[in-house]
Amino acid sequence: MAIILIIKEASKKHEIILSESPFTIGRSRKSDLKIDDSRLSGLHCSLKLSGGRAFITDLDSTNGTTLNNKQIKQSPLYLDDIVKTGNTSLTLLKTKMTDDEIKLHTSNYRNAIAERLAETNSTSSEVQRLKERRRARAKAAQAPVPEHVRAKNAIGSKKNKDKEPFAILTRILKIK
């Protein structure tokens, strides 16, 4: 059907049908919806549909745009989200959406995407960690063993238990 945005300012309520073309909100006459709010910039934010999803973009406003009390630059919108621009609030209207549109705009959908991203990130970071370990082992295997370590290893080995440590050291260090 349609994705409708409810905009509540001090004494007015607007219902806007979102489309693929950006819909701007601000104090300026150039904005699609002019709101008299001193905390809004001339062109404060824009809203549009992309792939059937609603998105909000802050247009480098002075006071910013918050989504669920967090400052944002751009974000998808969900049914339970509350956008604040100055003293104006914006929410999505569920009653006019189709079942598919509701599914795209529910927090369950957001959680599923977040879980997939977390799985992808943890898998890639785990793979990266394993690669780093392999590189470190290969580098250690190629590095020459310092003489003091060879001497320590020779003194502590089982086959040299009966020999005197000084004789072992002189042999390793080639002292005659």
Side-chain angles (χ1 to χ4, degrees):
M1 290 181 113
I3 296 176
I4 298 175
L5 183 73
I6 299 174
I7 303 169
K8 295 179 187 173
E9 54 178 305
S11 60
K12 297 178 188 173
K13 181 178 172 183
H14 309 274
E15 289 187 6
I16 307 298
I17 297 173
L18 295 178
S19 69
E20 298 287 329
S21 61
F23 180 87
T24 58
I25 298 172
R27 286 185 318 179
S28 171
R29 289 183 192 163
K30 293 178 183 177
S31 60
D32 296 313
L33 179 63
K34 183 182 180 302
I35 298 176
D36 290 322
D37 183 341
S38 61
R39 297 187 64 216
L40 289 183
S41 295
L43 289 171
H44 194 90
C45 64
S46 71
L47 298 118
K48 72 174 191 169
L49 291 180
S50 179
R53 303 278 330 273
F55 285 87
I56 185 163
T57 303
D58 183 81
L59 300 174
D60 295 324
S61 63
T62 303
N63 293 318
T65 301
T66 60
L67 175 66
N68 302 326
N69 297 320
K70 292 180 183 171
Q71 197 86 6
I72 56 120
K73 284 291 179 190
Q74 182 177 24
S75 180
L77 291 177
Y78 296 94
L79 288 172
D80 53 349
D81 287 342
I82 298 172
V83 176
K84 289 279 192 176
T85 56
N87 296 317
T88 306
S89 66
L90 301 89
T91 55
L92 291 176
L93 179 64
K94 181 179 177 178
T95 57
K96 305 273 179 158
M97 289 184 182
T98 65
D99 289 341
D100 288 338
E101 289 169 338
I102 290 171
K103 188 186 285 185
L104 278 176
H105 291 91
T106 60
S107 57
N108 290 339
Y109 184 78
R110 172 180 27 200
N111 292 341
I113 289 173
E115 285 172 13
R116 260 192 231 131
L117 285 173
E119 286 172 11
T120 303
N121 288 341
S122 67
T123 303
S124 64
S125 63
E126 190 174 319
V127 167
Q128 187 65 29
R129 214 175 19 249
L130 288 172
K131 285 181 181 178
E132 287 172 10
R133 247 194 228 155
R134 283 187 197 137
R135 279 190 219 114
R137 282 188 200 136
K139 191 173 183 179
Q142 292 172 354
V145 179
E147 289 190 30
H148 72 281
V149 174
R150 286 198 326 244
K152 183 179 175 186
N153 290 342
I155 292 169
S157 69
K158 289 181 182 178
K159 68 180 184 181
N160 293 324
K161 282 273 185 199
D162 56 338
K163 295 185 179 177
E164 233 178 87
F166 184 75
I168 295 169
L169 278 174
T170 55
R171 189 174 51 85
I172 290 172
L173 299 173
K174 298 178 185 172
I175 298 173
K176 293 185 181 180

